[in-house]
Amino acid sequence: MTGNRPTRDLPTINERIRFPKIRVIDSDNSQLGIMTPREALQLAEEKELDLVLVTDKADPPVCRIIDYGKFKFEQEKKAKEAKKKQHNVEVKEVKMRYKIEKHDYDVRINQAKRFLQDGDKVKATVMFRGREIQHSDMARDLLSRLANDLQEFAEVQQFPKQEGRNMMMLLAPKK
């Protein structure tokens, strides 16, 4: 590859269409029938338009006589719209200790609620230090209480489980 762009990146238009027979659709969506690519290309050139392969999955492959620049612009516009509507789900983490004060707990609840309303998953983690790990039952109770307090916004995706010096639970937003 020395400076030349590989042809596989380029769409299949005009002379690049290599099938024995193709189904041709006109620019006004009317079917022109099944013909050879050469005949279809002549029709397209008469109208000063391009012959563009729409799908090669069909039998015979479907091509359209359209202005390629306009077609490409429409495709990019559709892709941009689809990307705009899509939401990437992130996992946000709420950390606490099992001996958490009421106000701090309320703050964590509000954070988790905000994350869930934004459509993100919440990983609730209770951290242990030193001998606190002996009180894993209290941490499990705390995570159960958290799940209970958030039940109108979330469903438990992964129940509390211990991983080293942490106990964690995963909550997903309700649909």
Side-chain angles (χ1 to χ4, degrees):
M1 283 207 252
T2 56
N4 294 356
R5 238 170 95 193
T7 54
R8 67 174 170 238
D9 289 8
L10 300 170
T12 312
I13 61 170
N14 299 334
E15 294 82 19
R16 289 199 204 97
I17 298 172
R18 303 216 187 283
F19 294 102
K21 294 282 182 193
I22 56 172
R23 179 178 305 276
V24 183
I25 300 173
D26 202 359
S27 54
D28 59 0
N29 287 343
S30 59
Q31 298 260 350
L32 297 178
I34 296 169
M35 55 184 79
T36 65
R38 183 173 288 149
E39 294 169 328
L41 191 56
Q42 277 181 326
L43 282 172
E45 284 171 354
E46 286 169 16
K47 298 180 179 186
E48 295 182 3
L49 295 171
D50 299 299
L51 184 66
V52 179
L53 180 69
V54 178
T55 179
D56 56 356
K57 306 280 188 274
D59 186 33
V62 179
C63 293
R64 208 176 202 146
I65 296 176
I66 48 178
D67 178 1
Y68 177 68
K70 195 174 178 183
F71 172 74
K72 189 175 171 188
F73 173 74
E74 291 294 324
Q75 296 291 79
E76 287 171 0
K77 200 169 159 185
K78 282 180 190 171
K80 214 178 259 183
E81 281 297 312
K83 191 174 183 182
K84 209 181 276 183
K85 289 178 183 160
Q86 127 186 2
H87 173 73
N88 292 339
V89 177
E90 291 182 42
V91 177
K92 305 278 188 159
E93 190 169 19
V94 176
K95 288 184 173 184
M96 55 193 144
R97 307 273 301 282
Y98 77 93
K99 294 189 278 189
I100 192 169
E101 293 293 323
K102 176 159 179 24
H103 175 264
D104 294 334
Y105 176 77
D106 293 339
V107 169
R108 298 302 180 282
I109 287 283
N110 289 332
Q111 281 178 335
K113 208 179 287 185
R114 191 174 66 240
F115 295 150
L116 290 163
Q117 286 170 339
D118 289 344
D120 296 321
K121 292 181 179 181
V122 174
K123 178 179 174 181
T125 305
V126 177
M127 302 170 297
F128 300 110
R129 281 199 198 139
R131 294 189 202 141
E132 290 179 352
I133 205 153
Q134 298 167 354
H135 302 289
S136 59
D137 54 328
M138 292 174 86
R140 189 169 276 111
D141 294 343
L142 177 66
L143 288 174
S144 298
R145 189 170 114 209
L146 181 89
N148 196 34
D149 290 345
L150 291 171
Q151 71 185 23
E152 63 183 89
F153 303 99
E155 49 198 33
V156 178
Q157 197 169 38
Q158 183 180 337
F159 288 95
K161 79 172 190 187
Q162 195 152 350
E163 291 180 347
R165 294 198 154 277
N166 296 326
M167 184 175 284
M168 52 92 42
M169 171 178 71
L170 196 64
L171 300 167
K174 277 192 174 171
K175 297 283 177 263

